[in-house]
Amino acid sequence: MSSATAPDWLNNGDNAWQLTAATLVALQSIPGLVAIYAGIVKQKWAINSAFMAFYAFAAVLICWVVWAYKMAFGKQWGAAPFVGTPGPVVTMKYELQHAVLPAAGVSAAYPLSTMIYFQFVFAAITMVIIAGSFLGRMNFSAWMVFVPLWLTFSYVVGAFSIWGGGFLYTRGVIDYSGGYVIHLSSGTAGFVGAAVIGPRLKADREDTRPNNILLVLVGAGILWMGWNGFNGGDPYTASPDAGAAVLNTNIATAMSTLVWTILDLIFFRKPAVIGAVQGMITGLVAITPAAGVVAGWGAVIIGSLSGSVPWLSMNVMGKKVALFRWVDDTLGVFHTHAVAGVLGGFLVGLFATKEGCEAFALKTPGGAIEGHGRQVWLQIVGALFIIGLNLFMTPLILYFIKYVLRIPLRMPEEVLLIGDDAIHGEEAYGFALDTTRGPISGDPEIGPFTGHSPPRSTPPLSTGGVSENKHEIPAARKAD
């Protein structure tokens, strides 16, 4: 018997899994990418890089519930087959009602509030990924404005067109969990935006050693495990296909990590940790559009290619093609997300199985291996739409911020020299003495803290290669 606490359409297991999956995806952004960004940059950029991600997560949620969710997953806005009608989703009646995507004709066995939150965490991580291209020079005030504008004029268009019932959805483009909507869009927007904003200081581009590789590994682990919710939650139910998506995600990611590491070992003679993390990310990205519709052997192939094609893109094309040397894409988001996203989207057109598509409730009869070669062309069309959208919209938004709102896109040179302390008045690692204590017993050299270090007969301990002058490579390391 239906009641307010147990309506007929509610499945407690589906609701529990969807909330769990959403939380796993949220953890990918905070603390996952926050930790990666804080550790992978120079020490003077650790706080600013992490906080750009942290801010984006909070800002996207407010925009999402006030107007953006309905633009991505609501009713079609007039005759426009690429965006929904904006509006708020904050009333209790709305939050408790049955989750339905009206333009797509899809429903789920849980409340709309669960669906809203699940879709939000995908929108948020897209913005956080874009930040990776802008680290080390973008004005934080400009970033604060860019986040809601790009969400409103780019992300929701891609999401509605491919997922929410728009024209690419109705034509049968497959994007299981965001290879196009999230990764190709963020990789394209990040690269174009980096070109518009301009590069970091020359010294920052030449000395790119991470300040904390162990922190990067912690963030990477959270990112990998969180992807179980990223891809496992997209059937909108705790179905057999959700299990297949989780397994295939991990197969492809492991394969990609191994291939990237082997290529590093062959060509650079060292198995780099940061390289392995890049390979992990490209594996996660490439399997995302295909996770629940390809078989395990398809996941192995996708992982092999995602560990090698973006490796070539980053280490060969990225170093030899003038465009990639000119555009300062700080973390190589173009290679890890745009290239891997296109690759995965194309491969799903080849390897999507009939059984996988049926399990995911798609009408598409599979990809080229099932005799449906048209799917390959549909995937190419979907990729071209997302690329074109962001080639146009991203610079338009940035130029609006710069020339209409009069907010500089880059920090002043004097701020770029200093970093976190000049922007936020904080430093990532504070090793000051406790001013509430007297002299430390057993060390007569150290007296009460006066704001200055006492004289020493020996140099201070190394702080990971960072000298007293933050803008100069220590003499002991210059030979590197």
Side-chain angles (χ1 to χ4, degrees):
M1 185 176 179
S2 181
S3 69
T5 56
D8 292 336
W9 44 259
L10 177 66
N11 182 299
N12 289 330
D14 282 356
N15 194 34
W17 166 238
Q18 210 65 30
L19 289 170
T20 301
T23 302
L24 287 170
V25 180
L27 289 170
Q28 290 181 288
S29 291
I30 52 171
L33 285 171
V34 165
I36 290 177
Y37 289 0
I40 206 168
V41 297
K42 295 178 70 172
Q43 181 175 324
K44 72 172 184 175
W45 293 118
I47 290 176
N48 185 255
S49 301
F51 193 45
M52 284 180 71
F54 202 83
Y55 163 80
F57 190 86
V60 168
L61 178 55
I62 301 305
C63 298
W64 196 247
V65 298
V66 174
W67 71 81
Y69 170 79
K70 283 190 174 181
M71 294 182 72
F73 295 99
K75 296 179 180 178
Q76 183 174 306
W77 196 357
F82 47 79
V83 70
T85 305
V89 289
V90 292
T91 65
M92 181 58 76
K93 180 180 179 181
Y94 203 87
E95 291 181 3
L96 292 176
Q97 71 183 41
H98 187 193
V100 175
L101 308 184
V106 172
S107 63
Y110 40 76
L112 194 59
S113 52
T114 299
M115 178 67 77
I116 292 167
Y117 187 75
F118 180 75
Q119 301 296 358
F120 147 68
V121 292
F122 286 87
I125 200 171
T126 308
M127 294 301 320
V128 173
I129 292 168
I130 292 175
S133 294
F134 301 165
L135 300 181
R137 83 282 204 178
M138 188 176 192
N139 181 7
F140 197 83
S141 296
W143 175 245
M144 292 179 72
V145 178
F146 177 81
V147 169
L149 289 179
W150 192 87
L151 175 75
T152 303
F153 294 102
S154 182
Y155 180 81
V156 299
V157 175
F160 185 86
S161 298
I162 294 179
W163 287 339
F167 75 105
L168 293 174
Y169 175 87
T170 58
R171 282 164 176 76
V173 173
I174 299 175
D175 186 5
Y176 190 90
S177 195
Y180 286 173
V181 176
I182 296 169
H183 301 292
L184 179 55
S185 64
S186 60
T188 305
F191 188 77
V192 176
V196 173
I197 295 167
R200 290 167 289 169
L201 293 177
K202 183 180 179 181
D204 286 348
R205 294 190 72 179
E206 292 176 348
D207 180 14
T208 59
R209 290 170 295 182
N211 78 86
N212 193 328
I213 291 180
L214 291 179
L215 185 62
V216 173
L217 279 175
V218 170
I222 295 170
L223 197 67
W224 185 341
M225 294 302 101
W227 225 282
N228 290 340
F230 200 103
N231 289 344
D234 263 287
Y236 299 158
T237 178
S239 66
D241 195 54
V246 169
L247 179 59
N248 288 336
T249 295
N250 285 269
I251 291 172
T253 304
M255 192 68 190
S256 184
T257 304
L258 295 176
V259 169
W260 193 295
T261 300
I262 291 169
L263 288 173
D264 276 352
L265 193 57
I266 292 172
F267 289 94
F268 302 130
R269 300 291 186 265
K270 291 182 180 180
V273 172
I274 296 300
V277 172
Q278 302 282 33
M280 178 206 80
I281 292 172
T282 56
L284 292 167
V285 171
I287 193 61
T288 289
V293 297
V294 297
W297 59 264
V300 171
I301 295 173
I302 290 173
S304 300
L305 292 173
S306 67
S308 53
V309 175
W311 187 95
L312 290 169
S313 170
M314 179 177 288
N315 292 292
V316 179
M317 188 172 69
K319 294 177 180 178
K320 294 186 177 181
V321 177
L323 177 64
F324 293 101
R325 286 187 278 112
W326 174 68
V327 177
D328 183 20
D329 178 2
T330 308
L331 299 187
V333 173
F334 175 83
H335 305 285
T336 55
H337 292 269
V339 173
V342 167
L343 178 67
F346 175 78
L347 292 175
V348 75
L350 294 177
F351 299 129
T353 64
K354 181 179 179 181
E355 296 90 343
C357 289
E358 289 177 350
F360 191 47
L362 295 179
K363 296 178 181 178
T364 302
I369 62 166
E370 300 284 7
H372 188 235
R374 179 174 177 268
Q375 192 63 42
V376 175
W377 295 106
L378 285 173
Q379 298 304 114
I380 293 173
V381 169
L384 291 175
F385 173 76
I386 293 296
I387 292 170
L389 171 66
N390 287 285
L391 284 175
F392 171 76
M393 198 59 69
T394 304
L396 183 65
I397 292 169
L398 288 169
Y399 286 133
F400 173 80
I401 294 171
K402 182 177 181 179
Y403 294 112
V404 178
L405 300 182
R406 301 289 183 178
I407 301 174
L409 298 178
R410 294 179 87 247
M411 303 175 201
E413 295 295 305
E414 58 270 22
V415 174
L416 290 174
L417 285 169
I418 299 171
D420 290 338
D421 196 27
I423 305 162
H424 304 285
E426 298 165 313
E427 294 185 356
Y429 307 104
F431 298 113
L433 295 175
D434 188 343
T435 60
T436 64
R437 296 183 181 180
I440 299 175
S441 176
D443 191 349
E445 190 180 59
I446 301 178
F449 182 66
T450 61
H452 300 280
S453 299
R456 289 178 178 267
S457 57
T458 56
L461 293 174
S462 168
T463 55
V466 179
S467 64
E468 281 293 314
N469 182 346
K470 299 178 184 178
H471 327 301
E472 182 176 297
I473 302 173
R477 300 294 296 274
K478 285 182 179 178
D480 295 338

